[in-house]
Amino acid sequence: MSNGSKATIPLGQIAEIDMGTSPPGTSYNKEGIGVPLINGPTEFTDNSPVPQQWTTEPTRVCRKGDILICVRGASTGRMNTADREYCIGRGVAAIRDREDPLATPLLRYVIEHQLPSLLRFATGSTFVAVDKKAISNIPVPAFDARQRREAARLLNRSEEVELLLSRIITAKRKFQRGLMQELLTGRRRFPEFQHDPRPTVALREVTIINPDTLPESTDDYFRFHYIDISSVSDGRVTIPVSAIAFRDAPSRARRIVRQYDVLFSTVRPYLKGFAIVEDDRRDLVCSTGFAVLRAATKADAQYLLEVLFSDVVGRQVHARLVGSSFPALNNDDVANIRIPWPSAPERAKISHVLGAIRREIHLLEEMRARFETAKRGLMQKLLTGELTVPVSSEPEPVHA
């Protein structure tokens, strides 16, 4: 590392840390009189806080650009950035770089990276809290002010890309949901199918439900890859790396799965634990918490997956759960769910269009995850001194 000494120093050496102090309760108001008051998570958002009350007797006031961190209660460690001056109550601390405000964002990235270690100092009590000493001892890269600013700039760029990808994903999902409802309800149709009939059918009429099951007489040493409820998310299945022997498997590991089977999570189905199995291996077994839907063709399986995510199915699932003591469906509930069933060519086109959008969203999510992983790796290299942060030869600006 370019500073030629130890890789990290305590945060307290380069940062000002102001622990909040609550003003008198009699000074509070909701009319916007005085200084906006931040007491903790109630006012926090994804970025900067939104005040809900003000005080006419401010105690500790943060500066614009400060890191605001919750230091008490279940939200300890949650952070926002101050977009103006705020009075900070006892549940919040404000942190800033001593020398260069432009370097303060680096401190936030460091704290996020070190948050698990910080929270260990807050465990073991009935009321979680961290004090100034714990925050001051967080290790940060032993950079000078210009290096800290440059490191903050690099990390900011990565975060900007992540935020842009998140906005694109949100917009794509919104478009996908709207188009899905229009196509599946018939409000929008492809011109070539405009006058074709659109009957509805029950799932039992177009699928085989739970076609194969492992018998109790299965050899104890038969090995298979087990798909549990947590293995399914957003239309995809994560196959475990290791196989498990029948004798060691949970008692729910019974339903045999084949390529292009559709998995329908019957436990808390409002979480939409639906997926299509793309893997062609013959040793897949899933939990009895799924209904396995086997369609006649790959195209029909892909269409089924899109239908399951629609409001058409969601409303029926909700109706079946109302008044239930446990949020789960039985096999008859699943079998009797009715879905639109247009002609095979129209089903194929609907699933092709919606599937393409779903795959695009998955690719964007993977790209965002790679940026997040790269940012964590960059932070680790900064903390260990493996990475040198170059700075320009221009003189440092003088801050008032």
Side-chain angles (χ1 to χ4, degrees):
M1 188 171 174
S2 61
N3 56 34
S5 58
K6 55 188 176 181
T8 62
I9 56 176
L11 175 65
Q13 288 190 23
I14 61 168
E16 295 177 0
I17 303 167
D18 293 334
M19 306 300 287
T21 304
S22 297
T26 54
S27 71
Y28 292 12
N29 69 89
K30 295 183 180 294
E31 288 73 44
I33 302 170
V35 179
L37 173 64
I38 303 299
N39 273 318
T42 303
E43 297 90 2
F44 276 26
T45 67
D46 290 339
N47 298 301
S48 297
V50 175
Q52 298 183 16
Q53 53 190 353
W54 285 255
T55 175
T56 54
E57 299 180 39
T59 45
R60 196 65 54 83
V61 177
C62 73
R63 303 175 194 171
K64 181 178 179 179
D66 282 1
I67 302 162
L68 302 177
I69 181 170
C70 292
V71 294
R72 293 166 57 86
S75 59
T76 296
R78 187 176 176 188
M79 286 182 283
N80 266 198
T81 299
D83 57 342
R84 57 169 293 176
E85 289 188 346
Y86 294 99
C87 175
I88 53 174
R90 63 187 302 204
V92 178
I95 304 169
R96 70 191 70 89
D97 191 285
R98 290 182 186 275
E99 299 178 67
D100 188 349
L102 295 177
T104 295
L106 171 65
L107 307 184
R108 175 170 178 168
Y109 292 124
V110 172
I111 295 170
E112 286 177 344
H113 188 76
Q114 302 282 21
L115 199 55
S117 298
L118 176 65
L119 293 178
R120 279 198 290 271
F121 287 98
T123 58
S125 61
T126 55
F127 186 81
V128 176
V130 293
D131 57 17
K132 185 172 183 177
K133 181 179 179 182
I135 297 173
S136 298
N137 286 331
I138 294 174
V140 299
F143 293 165
D144 60 32
R146 286 200 292 175
Q147 287 176 310
R148 294 198 296 274
R149 188 201 311 165
E150 180 64 16
R153 186 183 67 82
L154 292 172
L155 290 162
N156 277 338
R157 283 186 176 180
S158 176
E159 179 133 315
E160 286 167 3
V161 173
E162 286 182 59
L163 289 173
L164 176 60
L165 287 170
S166 293
R167 293 190 190 103
I168 294 172
I169 290 168
T170 299
K172 291 279 186 186
R173 285 196 179 282
K174 183 177 180 181
F175 173 72
Q176 177 196 37
R177 285 194 298 270
L179 181 60
M180 177 191 298
Q181 302 315 318
E182 291 187 343
L183 289 175
L184 294 178
T185 58
R187 291 198 300 269
R188 178 185 294 193
R189 300 192 73 178
F190 300 108
E192 63 268 37
F193 306 116
Q194 194 69 41
H195 303 294
D196 289 1
R198 287 180 59 89
T200 62
V201 298
L203 283 178
R204 57 182 163 75
E205 298 177 61
V206 292
T207 67
I208 302 173
I209 301 175
N210 302 326
D212 301 306
T213 303
L214 284 179
E216 292 300 324
S217 59
T218 300
D219 187 291
D220 281 348
Y221 295 96
F222 171 69
R223 298 182 67 81
F224 55 86
H225 288 82
Y226 174 55
I227 301 169
D228 64 10
I229 300 295
S230 65
S231 303
V232 168
S233 175
D234 196 24
R236 292 184 290 185
V237 179
T238 302
I239 306 295
V241 175
S242 302
I244 188 172
F246 180 77
R247 67 173 188 174
D248 299 322
S251 60
R252 294 173 67 86
R254 290 295 183 271
R255 303 211 195 285
I256 297 172
V257 178
R258 296 288 182 252
Q259 187 179 30
Y260 305 128
D261 282 351
V262 175
L263 303 184
F264 183 126
S265 175
T266 57
V267 179
R268 297 183 178 85
Y270 49 80
L271 296 178
K272 298 184 181 294
F274 312 132
I276 188 169
V277 178
E278 302 281 0
D279 200 295
D280 64 354
R281 71 184 80 185
R282 306 290 289 182
D283 65 344
L284 299 179
V285 175
C286 75
S287 166
T288 54
F290 291 108
V292 178
L293 310 180
R294 187 165 296 169
T297 67
K298 173 184 175 182
D300 281 351
Q302 291 170 329
Y303 175 78
L304 277 173
L305 178 66
E306 300 303 335
V307 173
L308 293 183
F309 279 102
S310 72
D311 288 346
V312 171
V313 170
R315 286 191 293 269
Q316 296 178 69
V317 167
H318 176 74
R320 285 168 168 78
L321 292 178
V322 171
S324 172
S325 59
F326 183 72
L329 302 178
N330 59 41
N331 289 335
D332 286 340
D333 291 330
V334 174
N336 289 318
I337 288 174
R338 299 193 68 82
I339 61 172
W341 197 254
S343 67
E346 186 173 2
R347 295 197 303 271
K349 190 157 187 177
I350 289 172
S351 63
H352 174 75
V353 170
L354 295 178
I357 300 172
R358 187 178 300 280
R359 287 189 295 275
E360 186 178 1
I361 291 171
H362 289 165
L363 288 172
L364 289 167
E365 289 174 331
E366 289 169 3
M367 188 183 302
R368 181 176 60 183
R370 287 197 295 272
F371 269 97
E372 176 62 29
T373 300
K375 188 173 72 175
R376 287 198 300 268
L378 176 59
M379 180 56 64
Q380 187 62 31
K381 290 180 179 179
L382 291 173
L383 288 170
T384 59
E386 182 181 344
L387 183 66
T388 296
V389 179
V391 295
S392 68
S393 57
E394 297 176 5
E396 287 191 65
V398 177
H399 298 286

